[in-house]
Protein backbone atom coordinates (compact mmCIF):
# COMPACT_ATOMS: atom_id res chain seq x y z
CA UNK A 1 0.00 0.00 0.00
CA UNK A 2 2.86 2.40 0.73
CA UNK A 3 4.26 1.98 -2.78
CA UNK A 4 0.77 2.39 -4.21
CA UNK A 5 0.07 5.64 -2.41
CA UNK A 6 3.50 6.97 -3.31
CA UNK A 7 2.93 6.17 -6.97
CA UNK A 8 -0.43 7.89 -7.11
CA UNK A 9 0.83 10.85 -5.13
CA UNK A 10 3.55 11.38 -7.73
CA UNK A 11 1.19 11.00 -10.70
CA UNK A 12 -1.50 13.17 -9.22
CA UNK A 13 0.84 15.96 -8.22
CA UNK A 14 2.11 16.18 -11.79
CA UNK A 15 -1.44 16.65 -13.01
CA UNK A 16 -3.44 18.27 -10.23
CA UNK A 17 -1.16 20.74 -8.47
CA UNK A 18 -3.18 23.94 -8.03
CA UNK A 19 -2.63 27.46 -6.85
CA UNK A 20 -3.45 28.44 -3.28
CA UNK A 21 -5.07 31.63 -4.57
CA UNK A 22 -8.66 31.69 -3.32
CA UNK A 23 -10.22 33.60 -6.24
CA UNK A 24 -13.14 31.81 -7.85
CA UNK A 25 -11.24 31.74 -11.14
CA UNK A 26 -8.74 29.44 -9.45
CA UNK A 27 -11.46 27.45 -7.72
CA UNK A 28 -13.12 26.55 -11.01
CA UNK A 29 -10.44 26.52 -13.70
CA UNK A 30 -7.97 23.64 -13.78
CA UNK A 31 -5.15 24.87 -16.03
CA UNK A 32 -3.22 21.64 -15.58
CA UNK A 33 -6.04 19.17 -16.28
CA UNK A 34 -4.99 16.53 -18.79
CA UNK A 35 -7.53 14.91 -21.07
CA UNK A 36 -4.92 12.29 -21.93
CA UNK A 37 -4.44 11.02 -18.37
CA UNK A 38 -6.07 7.70 -17.59
CA UNK A 39 -8.96 8.06 -15.17
CA UNK A 40 -7.46 5.66 -12.61
CA UNK A 41 -4.84 7.97 -11.08
CA UNK A 42 -7.49 10.68 -11.01
CA UNK A 43 -9.67 8.41 -8.87
CA UNK A 44 -6.72 7.62 -6.60
CA UNK A 45 -6.00 11.32 -6.14
CA UNK A 46 -9.69 12.01 -5.50
CA UNK A 47 -9.87 9.44 -2.71
CA UNK A 48 -6.64 10.65 -1.14
CA UNK A 49 -7.79 14.29 -1.18
CA UNK A 50 -11.22 13.34 0.13
CA UNK A 51 -9.54 11.91 3.21
CA UNK A 52 -8.11 15.39 3.67
CA UNK A 53 -4.86 17.03 4.62
CA UNK A 54 -3.90 18.49 7.97
CA UNK A 55 -4.71 22.04 6.81
CA UNK A 56 -8.43 21.66 6.19
CA UNK A 57 -8.93 19.02 8.86
CA UNK A 58 -7.22 20.99 11.61
CA UNK A 59 -8.79 24.31 10.66
CA UNK A 60 -12.37 23.26 9.97
CA UNK A 61 -13.10 19.68 10.98
CA UNK A 62 -11.22 19.80 14.29
CA UNK A 63 -11.11 23.43 15.41
CA UNK A 64 -14.62 24.28 14.19
CA UNK A 65 -16.83 21.17 14.10
CA UNK A 66 -14.84 19.23 16.69
CA UNK A 67 -15.04 22.07 19.20
CA UNK A 68 -18.68 22.89 18.39
CA UNK A 69 -19.63 19.30 19.25
CA UNK A 70 -17.53 19.52 22.44
CA UNK A 71 -15.47 16.45 21.56
CA UNK A 72 -12.07 18.11 21.29
CA UNK A 73 -10.75 21.40 22.63
CA UNK A 74 -7.67 23.38 21.60
CA UNK A 75 -7.20 26.45 23.78
CA UNK A 76 -4.65 27.83 21.33
CA UNK A 77 -7.57 28.26 18.93
CA UNK A 78 -10.64 28.68 21.19
CA UNK A 79 -12.94 30.35 18.65
CA UNK A 80 -15.07 27.24 18.11
CA UNK A 81 -15.79 26.82 21.82
CA UNK A 82 -16.45 30.48 22.68
CA UNK A 83 -18.47 31.19 19.50
CA UNK A 84 -16.32 33.89 17.99
CA UNK A 85 -15.17 33.98 14.37
CA UNK A 86 -11.84 33.32 12.74
CA UNK A 87 -12.59 33.18 9.05
CA UNK A 88 -9.67 31.04 7.88
CA UNK A 89 -10.75 28.26 10.22
CA UNK A 90 -14.31 28.36 8.95
CA UNK A 91 -13.43 28.57 5.26
CA UNK A 92 -10.59 26.07 4.88
CA UNK A 93 -12.77 23.08 4.04
CA UNK A 94 -14.79 25.04 1.49
CA UNK A 95 -11.68 26.37 -0.24
CA UNK A 96 -9.92 23.00 -0.51
CA UNK A 97 -13.10 21.24 -1.66
CA UNK A 98 -13.67 23.64 -4.52
CA UNK A 99 -9.99 23.76 -5.44
CA UNK A 100 -9.51 20.00 -5.43
CA UNK A 101 -12.13 17.36 -4.77
CA UNK A 102 -15.07 19.08 -6.50
CA UNK A 103 -13.07 19.86 -9.63
CA UNK A 104 -11.55 16.40 -9.67
CA UNK A 105 -14.81 14.47 -9.41
CA UNK A 106 -16.48 16.71 -12.02
CA UNK A 107 -13.51 16.16 -14.32
CA UNK A 108 -13.69 12.38 -13.80
CA UNK A 109 -17.40 12.30 -14.62
CA UNK A 110 -16.85 14.42 -17.73
CA UNK A 111 -14.04 12.12 -18.90
CA UNK A 112 -16.12 9.00 -18.29
CA UNK A 113 -18.97 10.55 -20.28
CA UNK A 114 -16.63 11.35 -23.14
CA UNK A 115 -15.38 7.76 -23.11
CA UNK A 116 -18.93 6.42 -23.14
CA UNK A 117 -18.52 4.82 -19.73
CA UNK A 118 -21.97 4.41 -18.17
CA UNK A 119 -21.05 1.46 -15.96
CA UNK A 120 -19.40 0.78 -12.66
CA UNK A 121 -16.77 3.52 -12.78
CA UNK A 122 -19.43 6.14 -13.48
CA UNK A 123 -21.54 4.78 -10.66
CA UNK A 124 -18.65 5.10 -8.22
CA UNK A 125 -17.91 8.66 -9.38
CA UNK A 126 -21.53 9.74 -8.95
CA UNK A 127 -21.73 8.18 -5.50
CA UNK A 128 -18.51 9.86 -4.44
CA UNK A 129 -19.64 13.23 -5.77
CA UNK A 130 -22.67 13.00 -3.49
CA UNK A 131 -20.38 12.14 -0.58
CA UNK A 132 -18.19 15.19 -1.23
CA UNK A 133 -21.08 17.59 -1.56
CA UNK A 134 -23.14 16.39 1.37
CA UNK A 135 -20.43 17.58 3.74
CA UNK A 136 -20.25 20.99 2.06
CA UNK A 137 -24.02 21.50 2.03
CA UNK A 138 -24.44 20.30 5.63
CA UNK A 139 -21.83 22.71 6.98
CA UNK A 140 -22.41 25.78 4.81
CA UNK A 141 -25.93 25.44 3.37
CA UNK A 142 -26.78 26.63 -0.15
CA UNK A 143 -23.70 26.19 -2.31
CA UNK A 144 -22.57 26.05 -5.94
CA UNK A 145 -23.50 22.54 -7.04
CA UNK A 146 -25.01 22.10 -10.50
CA UNK A 147 -22.47 24.46 -12.08
CA UNK A 148 -19.57 23.82 -9.70
CA UNK A 149 -16.24 22.64 -11.07
CA UNK A 150 -17.33 23.43 -14.62
CA UNK A 151 -14.89 26.27 -15.26
CA UNK A 152 -12.47 24.19 -17.32
CA UNK A 153 -15.36 22.45 -19.14
CA UNK A 154 -17.89 25.20 -19.83
CA UNK A 155 -16.14 28.41 -18.82
CA UNK A 156 -18.53 29.01 -15.93
CA UNK A 157 -16.15 30.41 -13.35
CA UNK A 158 -18.79 32.09 -11.19
CA UNK A 159 -21.45 29.45 -10.60
CA UNK A 160 -24.71 30.26 -8.85
CA UNK A 161 -25.43 29.04 -5.35
CA UNK A 162 -28.01 26.30 -5.54
CA UNK A 163 -30.75 25.75 -3.01
CA UNK A 164 -29.85 23.09 -0.44
CA UNK A 165 -33.19 21.34 -0.90
CA UNK A 166 -32.62 21.04 -4.64
CA UNK A 167 -29.11 19.75 -4.00
CA UNK A 168 -30.35 17.17 -1.53
CA UNK A 169 -32.98 15.85 -3.92
CA UNK A 170 -30.39 15.61 -6.68
CA UNK A 171 -27.85 13.87 -4.45
CA UNK A 172 -30.43 11.26 -3.49
CA UNK A 173 -31.26 10.68 -7.16
CA UNK A 174 -27.56 10.50 -8.01
CA UNK A 175 -27.07 7.87 -5.33
CA UNK A 176 -29.98 5.79 -6.59
CA UNK A 177 -28.81 5.96 -10.20
CA UNK A 178 -25.15 5.58 -9.27
CA UNK A 179 -25.82 2.39 -7.30
CA UNK A 180 -27.87 1.08 -10.22
CA UNK A 181 -24.87 1.56 -12.52
CA UNK A 182 -22.66 -0.67 -10.39
CA UNK A 183 -22.34 -3.96 -12.18
CA UNK A 184 -19.25 -5.74 -13.37
CA UNK A 185 -16.04 -5.39 -11.33
CA UNK A 186 -14.54 -1.96 -11.84
CA UNK A 187 -11.42 -1.36 -13.91
CA UNK A 188 -9.98 0.88 -11.21
CA UNK A 189 -7.90 -1.89 -9.69
CA UNK A 190 -5.55 -0.57 -7.04
CA UNK A 191 -6.67 3.00 -7.78
CA UNK A 192 -9.79 2.21 -5.76
CA UNK A 193 -8.28 3.08 -2.40
CA UNK A 194 -11.58 2.54 -0.59
CA UNK A 195 -12.88 -0.89 -1.59
CA UNK A 196 -10.32 -2.24 -4.04
CA UNK A 197 -12.92 -2.65 -6.78
CA UNK A 198 -15.49 -4.52 -4.66
CA UNK A 199 -18.74 -3.35 -6.25
CA UNK A 200 -20.90 -5.08 -3.62
CA UNK A 201 -19.31 -2.89 -0.97
CA UNK A 202 -19.70 0.19 -3.16
CA UNK A 203 -23.40 -0.59 -3.43
CA UNK A 204 -23.68 -0.80 0.35
CA UNK A 205 -21.77 2.46 0.68
CA UNK A 206 -24.08 4.24 -1.76
CA UNK A 207 -27.17 2.99 0.03
CA UNK A 208 -25.73 3.83 3.44
CA UNK A 209 -25.04 7.38 2.28
CA UNK A 210 -28.59 7.48 0.91
CA UNK A 211 -29.85 6.50 4.37
CA UNK A 212 -27.74 9.24 5.96
CA UNK A 213 -29.18 11.88 3.64
CA UNK A 214 -32.70 10.53 4.10
CA UNK A 215 -32.43 10.82 7.86
CA UNK A 216 -30.96 14.30 7.56
CA UNK A 217 -34.19 15.59 6.02
CA UNK A 218 -36.40 13.79 8.53
CA UNK A 219 -37.63 16.96 10.23
CA UNK A 220 -38.18 19.05 7.12
CA UNK A 221 -39.63 16.50 4.67
CA UNK A 222 -40.73 13.42 6.64
CA UNK A 223 -42.49 11.68 3.75
CA UNK A 224 -39.46 11.93 1.45
CA UNK A 225 -37.21 10.95 4.34
CA UNK A 226 -39.19 7.77 4.97
CA UNK A 227 -39.37 6.86 1.30
CA UNK A 228 -35.64 7.30 0.71
CA UNK A 229 -34.69 5.53 3.95
CA UNK A 230 -36.82 2.55 2.99
CA UNK A 231 -35.26 2.55 -0.47
CA UNK A 232 -31.75 2.61 1.01
CA UNK A 233 -32.38 -0.19 3.49
CA UNK A 234 -34.19 -2.33 0.94
CA UNK A 235 -31.33 -1.80 -1.51
CA UNK A 236 -28.83 -3.04 1.05
CA UNK A 237 -26.82 -0.94 3.50
CA UNK A 238 -23.64 -1.87 5.36
CA UNK A 239 -24.11 -5.13 7.23
CA UNK A 240 -20.83 -5.45 9.15
CA UNK A 241 -17.67 -3.50 9.92
CA UNK A 242 -16.05 -5.12 6.90
CA UNK A 243 -18.26 -2.77 4.84
CA UNK A 244 -16.94 0.36 6.58
CA UNK A 245 -15.50 2.82 4.06
CA UNK A 246 -12.03 3.86 5.16
CA UNK A 247 -8.70 5.05 3.80
CA UNK A 248 -5.51 3.22 4.65
CA UNK A 249 -2.80 5.78 5.41
CA UNK A 250 0.97 5.40 5.53
CA UNK A 251 3.71 7.16 7.41
CA UNK A 252 4.93 9.11 4.39
CA UNK A 253 6.68 9.76 2.19
CA UNK A 254 4.36 12.75 1.65
CA UNK A 255 1.82 14.36 3.96
CA UNK A 256 -1.00 13.54 1.54
CA UNK A 257 -0.46 9.87 2.41
CA UNK A 258 -0.65 10.54 6.16
CA UNK A 259 -3.57 10.68 8.56
CA UNK A 260 -4.50 14.34 9.08
CA UNK A 261 -4.91 14.06 12.84
CA UNK A 262 -1.60 12.23 13.06
CA UNK A 263 0.02 15.28 11.48
CA UNK A 264 -2.01 17.72 13.60
CA UNK A 265 -1.55 16.30 17.08
CA UNK A 266 2.22 16.73 17.55
CA UNK A 267 2.06 20.24 16.07
CA UNK A 268 -0.62 21.46 18.46
CA UNK A 269 0.30 20.16 21.88
CA UNK A 270 -2.64 21.80 23.66
CA UNK A 271 -5.28 19.84 21.73
CA UNK A 272 -7.22 17.82 24.32
CA UNK A 273 -10.27 15.63 24.50
CA UNK A 274 -13.37 17.59 25.54
CA UNK A 275 -14.84 17.26 29.01
CA UNK A 276 -18.34 16.75 27.60
CA UNK A 277 -17.53 13.48 25.86
CA UNK A 278 -14.94 12.44 28.46
CA UNK A 279 -17.50 12.76 31.25
CA UNK A 280 -20.23 11.04 29.22
CA UNK A 281 -17.97 8.06 28.60
CA UNK A 282 -16.92 7.95 32.25
CA UNK A 283 -20.50 8.24 33.55
CA UNK A 284 -21.59 5.30 31.41
CA UNK A 285 -18.63 3.06 32.32
CA UNK A 286 -17.73 3.07 28.64
CA UNK A 287 -14.64 1.05 27.60
CA UNK A 288 -14.06 3.62 24.85
CA UNK A 289 -12.91 6.12 27.46
CA UNK A 290 -9.37 4.72 27.45
CA UNK A 291 -9.50 4.33 23.68
CA UNK A 292 -10.43 7.91 22.80
CA UNK A 293 -8.59 9.56 25.70
CA UNK A 294 -4.94 8.94 26.46
CA UNK A 295 -5.03 6.46 29.37
CA UNK A 296 -1.57 7.62 30.44
CA UNK A 297 -2.65 11.25 30.78
CA UNK A 298 -4.74 13.13 33.35
CA UNK A 299 -8.14 11.60 34.06
CA UNK A 300 -10.13 14.61 32.87
CA UNK A 301 -11.33 16.30 29.71
CA UNK A 302 -10.85 19.93 28.76
CA UNK A 303 -13.62 22.16 30.13
CA UNK A 304 -15.66 23.81 27.41
CA UNK A 305 -16.45 27.44 26.61
CA UNK A 306 -13.52 29.08 28.35
CA UNK A 307 -10.28 30.66 27.22
CA UNK A 308 -7.07 29.50 28.81
CA UNK A 309 -6.80 32.41 31.24
CA UNK A 310 -10.37 31.73 32.41
CA UNK A 311 -9.54 28.06 33.03
CA UNK A 312 -6.65 29.14 35.19
CA UNK A 313 -8.55 31.87 37.03
CA UNK A 314 -11.71 29.86 37.73
CA UNK A 315 -10.39 26.32 38.15
CA UNK A 316 -6.64 26.67 38.54
CA UNK A 317 -6.23 24.40 35.49
CA UNK A 318 -4.12 24.51 32.33
CA UNK A 319 -4.22 22.36 29.18
CA UNK A 320 -1.81 20.00 30.89
CA UNK A 321 -4.61 19.22 33.35
CA UNK A 322 -6.51 17.34 30.67
CA UNK A 323 -6.03 14.17 28.65
CA UNK A 324 -4.96 14.28 25.03
CA UNK A 325 -6.63 12.18 22.39
CA UNK A 326 -5.07 8.73 22.60
CA UNK A 327 -1.83 8.60 20.56
CA UNK A 328 -2.70 5.01 19.60
CA UNK A 329 -5.48 6.29 17.32
CA UNK A 330 -3.68 9.38 16.06
CA UNK A 331 -0.71 7.87 14.29
CA UNK A 332 0.43 9.02 10.87
CA UNK A 333 -0.66 5.66 9.49
CA UNK A 334 -4.00 5.55 11.31
CA UNK A 335 -6.91 5.01 8.91
CA UNK A 336 -9.49 7.64 7.97
CA UNK A 337 -13.10 6.49 8.15
CA UNK A 338 -15.59 8.03 5.71
CA UNK A 339 -18.76 6.18 6.72
CA UNK A 340 -18.84 3.36 9.24
CA UNK A 341 -21.10 0.40 9.77
CA UNK A 342 -21.62 1.64 13.34
CA UNK A 343 -23.04 4.96 12.10
CA UNK A 344 -25.22 3.19 9.56
CA UNK A 345 -26.61 0.70 12.08
CA UNK A 346 -27.46 3.49 14.52
CA UNK A 347 -29.34 5.38 11.81
CA UNK A 348 -31.28 2.22 11.07
CA UNK A 349 -32.01 1.98 14.79
CA UNK A 350 -33.42 5.49 14.79
CA UNK A 351 -35.48 4.80 11.69
CA UNK A 352 -36.95 1.71 13.31
CA UNK A 353 -37.61 3.56 16.58
CA UNK A 354 -39.41 6.34 14.72
CA UNK A 355 -41.68 3.70 13.17
CA UNK A 356 -42.37 2.20 16.61
CA UNK A 357 -40.39 -0.99 15.94
CA UNK A 358 -38.32 -0.94 19.11
CA UNK A 359 -37.38 -4.61 18.86
CA UNK A 360 -35.50 -3.90 15.65
CA UNK A 361 -34.29 -0.58 17.04
CA UNK A 362 -32.72 -2.37 20.01
CA UNK A 363 -30.98 -4.87 17.74
CA UNK A 364 -29.59 -2.17 15.49
CA UNK A 365 -28.62 -0.06 18.51
CA UNK A 366 -26.67 -2.93 20.04
CA UNK A 367 -25.06 -3.69 16.69
CA UNK A 368 -23.98 -0.06 16.24
CA UNK A 369 -22.52 0.27 19.73
CA UNK A 370 -20.72 -3.06 19.38
CA UNK A 371 -19.29 -2.15 15.99
CA UNK A 372 -17.89 1.15 17.19
CA UNK A 373 -16.30 -0.44 20.23
CA UNK A 374 -14.70 -3.08 18.03
CA UNK A 375 -13.44 -0.87 15.20
CA UNK A 376 -10.62 0.61 17.28
CA UNK A 377 -9.01 -2.80 17.69
CA UNK A 378 -9.74 -4.07 14.19
CA UNK A 379 -8.88 -0.95 12.17
CA UNK A 380 -6.54 1.14 14.37
CA UNK A 381 -4.48 -0.81 16.91
CA UNK A 382 -4.94 -4.38 18.10
CA UNK A 383 -4.10 -3.31 21.66
CA UNK A 384 -7.42 -1.42 21.71
CA UNK A 385 -9.52 -4.55 21.20
CA UNK A 386 -12.62 -4.63 23.38
CA UNK A 387 -13.67 -8.22 24.09
CA UNK A 388 -17.23 -9.45 23.70
CA UNK A 389 -17.81 -9.90 27.43
CA UNK A 390 -16.90 -6.26 28.09
CA UNK A 391 -19.27 -5.11 25.36
CA UNK A 392 -22.06 -7.33 26.69
CA UNK A 393 -21.50 -5.98 30.21
CA UNK A 394 -21.76 -2.43 28.86
CA UNK A 395 -24.99 -3.13 26.99
CA UNK A 396 -26.43 -4.82 30.06
CA UNK A 397 -25.56 -1.82 32.21
CA UNK A 398 -26.79 0.61 29.54
CA UNK A 399 -29.74 -1.21 27.92
CA UNK A 400 -31.75 0.28 25.10
CA UNK A 401 -34.81 2.01 26.54
CA UNK A 402 -37.66 2.56 24.07
CA UNK A 403 -38.87 5.61 26.01
CA UNK A 404 -35.43 7.20 25.59
CA UNK A 405 -34.58 5.58 22.28
CA UNK A 406 -33.85 8.59 20.10
CA UNK A 407 -31.78 10.25 22.83
CA UNK A 408 -29.73 7.11 23.42
CA UNK A 409 -29.22 6.55 19.69
CA UNK A 410 -28.25 10.19 19.15
CA UNK A 411 -25.69 10.08 21.95
CA UNK A 412 -24.19 6.87 20.65
CA UNK A 413 -24.02 8.32 17.13
CA UNK A 414 -22.12 11.27 18.56
CA UNK A 415 -19.63 8.92 20.20
CA UNK A 416 -19.39 6.74 17.09
CA UNK A 417 -18.60 9.80 14.96
CA UNK A 418 -15.49 10.78 16.90
CA UNK A 419 -12.97 12.14 14.35
CA UNK A 420 -15.79 12.68 11.83
CA UNK A 421 -16.75 15.90 13.56
CA UNK A 422 -18.65 17.26 10.56
CA UNK A 423 -21.04 14.34 10.80
CA UNK A 424 -21.25 14.69 14.56
CA UNK A 425 -22.10 18.39 14.20
CA UNK A 426 -24.68 17.70 11.49
CA UNK A 427 -26.45 14.94 13.39
CA UNK A 428 -26.50 17.01 16.58
CA UNK A 429 -28.22 19.87 14.77
CA UNK A 430 -30.68 17.50 13.11
CA UNK A 431 -31.50 15.26 16.08
CA UNK A 432 -30.85 17.54 19.04
CA UNK A 433 -28.63 14.92 20.66
CA UNK A 434 -26.56 14.97 22.69
CA UNK A 435 -28.17 17.86 24.55
CA UNK A 436 -25.12 20.10 24.47
CA UNK A 437 -25.02 23.20 26.66
CA UNK A 438 -23.76 26.41 25.11
CA UNK A 439 -20.32 27.25 26.53
CA UNK A 440 -20.46 23.97 28.41
CA UNK A 441 -22.81 25.56 30.92
CA UNK A 442 -20.46 28.44 31.70
CA UNK A 443 -21.44 32.07 31.32
CA UNK A 444 -21.46 33.20 27.69
CA UNK A 445 -18.14 34.51 26.46
CA UNK A 446 -18.54 38.31 26.26
CA UNK A 447 -17.26 38.51 22.68
CA UNK A 448 -19.45 35.75 21.25
CA UNK A 449 -21.16 36.45 17.91
CA UNK A 450 -24.16 34.10 18.26
CA UNK A 451 -26.17 35.81 21.02
CA UNK A 452 -25.01 33.03 23.31
CA UNK A 453 -26.43 30.22 21.17
CA UNK A 454 -24.57 27.19 19.80
CA UNK A 455 -23.65 27.96 16.15
CA UNK A 456 -25.75 26.29 13.46
CA UNK A 457 -23.48 26.48 10.40
CA UNK A 458 -20.08 27.52 9.14
CA UNK A 459 -19.49 30.72 7.19
CA UNK A 460 -18.64 31.15 3.51
CA UNK A 461 -15.28 32.80 2.74
CA UNK A 462 -15.75 36.57 2.65
CA UNK A 463 -13.90 36.63 -0.68
CA UNK A 464 -17.05 35.21 -2.24
CA UNK A 465 -18.57 38.65 -1.82
CA UNK A 466 -16.07 40.11 -4.27
CA UNK A 467 -15.14 37.34 -6.73
CA UNK A 468 -18.66 35.92 -7.08
CA UNK A 469 -20.54 39.01 -5.96
CA UNK A 470 -23.96 38.76 -7.62
CA UNK A 471 -24.38 35.08 -6.75
CA UNK A 472 -23.14 35.68 -3.23
CA UNK A 473 -25.60 38.53 -2.74
CA UNK A 474 -28.38 36.28 -4.00
CA UNK A 475 -27.62 33.48 -1.56
CA UNK A 476 -27.49 35.89 1.37
CA UNK A 477 -30.91 37.15 0.34
CA UNK A 478 -32.36 33.65 0.02
CA UNK A 479 -30.68 31.74 2.84
CA UNK A 480 -29.89 34.51 5.30
CA UNK A 481 -26.86 36.43 6.55
CA UNK A 482 -23.44 34.82 6.22
CA UNK A 483 -23.06 34.17 9.92
CA UNK A 484 -23.03 31.22 12.29
CA UNK A 485 -26.67 31.38 13.37
CA UNK A 486 -28.31 31.27 9.93
CA UNK A 487 -29.59 27.72 9.60
CA UNK A 488 -29.19 25.37 6.66
CA UNK A 489 -32.35 24.08 4.99
CA UNK A 490 -32.86 20.88 6.95
CA UNK A 491 -31.99 22.36 10.37
CA UNK A 492 -35.38 23.06 11.91
CA UNK A 493 -35.01 21.26 15.24
Amino acid sequence: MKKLLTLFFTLSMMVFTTSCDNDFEDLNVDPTASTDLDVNPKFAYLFLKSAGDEFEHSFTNILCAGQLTQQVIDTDFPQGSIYTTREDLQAAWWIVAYQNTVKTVVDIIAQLESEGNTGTEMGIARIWKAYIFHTIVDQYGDTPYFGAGQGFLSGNIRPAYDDAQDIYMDMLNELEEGVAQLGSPSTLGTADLIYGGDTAKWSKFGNSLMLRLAMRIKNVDPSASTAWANKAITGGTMSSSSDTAFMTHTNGPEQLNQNAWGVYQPRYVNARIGATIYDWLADHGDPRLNILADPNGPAAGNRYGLERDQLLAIYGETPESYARVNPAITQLDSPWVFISYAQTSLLEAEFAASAGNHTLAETKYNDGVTANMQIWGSHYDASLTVDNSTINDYLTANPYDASQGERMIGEQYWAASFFDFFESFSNFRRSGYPELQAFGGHDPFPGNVTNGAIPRRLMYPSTEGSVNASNFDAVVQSQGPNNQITRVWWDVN
Side-chain angles (χ1 to χ4, degrees), residues 321-345:
S321 305
Y322 314 122
R324 303 186 73 183
V325 177
N326 193 345
I329 59 175
T330 58
Q331 297 297 303
L332 292 172
D333 60 356
S334 293
W336 183 260
V337 174
F338 296 103
I339 295 181
S340 71
Y341 166 63
Q343 291 171 318
T344 302
S345 187

Side-chain angles (χ1 to χ4, degrees), residues 210-287:
M210 185 188 298
L211 174 65
R212 175 183 286 190
L213 299 189
M215 296 301 288
R216 195 82 86 230
I217 66 174
K218 174 181 175 180
N219 299 326
V220 71
D221 193 342
S223 61
S225 173
T226 298
W228 282 106
N230 275 322
K231 188 176 294 187
I233 293 169
T234 301
T237 53
M238 295 179 182
S239 56
S240 72
S241 286
S242 66
D243 297 325
T244 288
F246 70 98
M247 168 71 69
T248 298
H249 284 291
T250 63
N251 185 2
E254 302 290 344
Q255 186 171 316
L256 182 62
N257 296 346
Q258 298 172 342
N259 178 281
W261 187 287
V263 178
Y264 169 82
Q265 176 137 304
R267 292 182 179 177
Y268 300 95
V269 296
N270 289 322
R272 308 286 159 158
I273 192 167
T276 305
I277 192 167
Y278 188 101
D279 293 346
W280 182 86
L281 294 167
D283 291 346
H284 289 80
D286 199 309

Side-chain angles (χ1 to χ4, degrees), residues 407-450:
R407 176 187 62 79
M408 295 181 70
I409 294 165
E411 290 176 350
Q412 290 291 347
Y413 196 91
W414 174 65
S417 298
F418 194 85
F419 285 144
D420 187 359
F421 304 124
F422 288 139
E423 182 58 20
S424 181
F425 183 43
S426 295
N427 202 63
F428 155 71
R429 288 176 287 154
R430 193 269 304 174
S431 70
Y433 299 111
E435 296 176 337
L436 302 175
Q437 291 183 288
F439 305 98
H442 295 101
D443 291 337
F445 181 75
N448 82 85
V449 296
T450 64

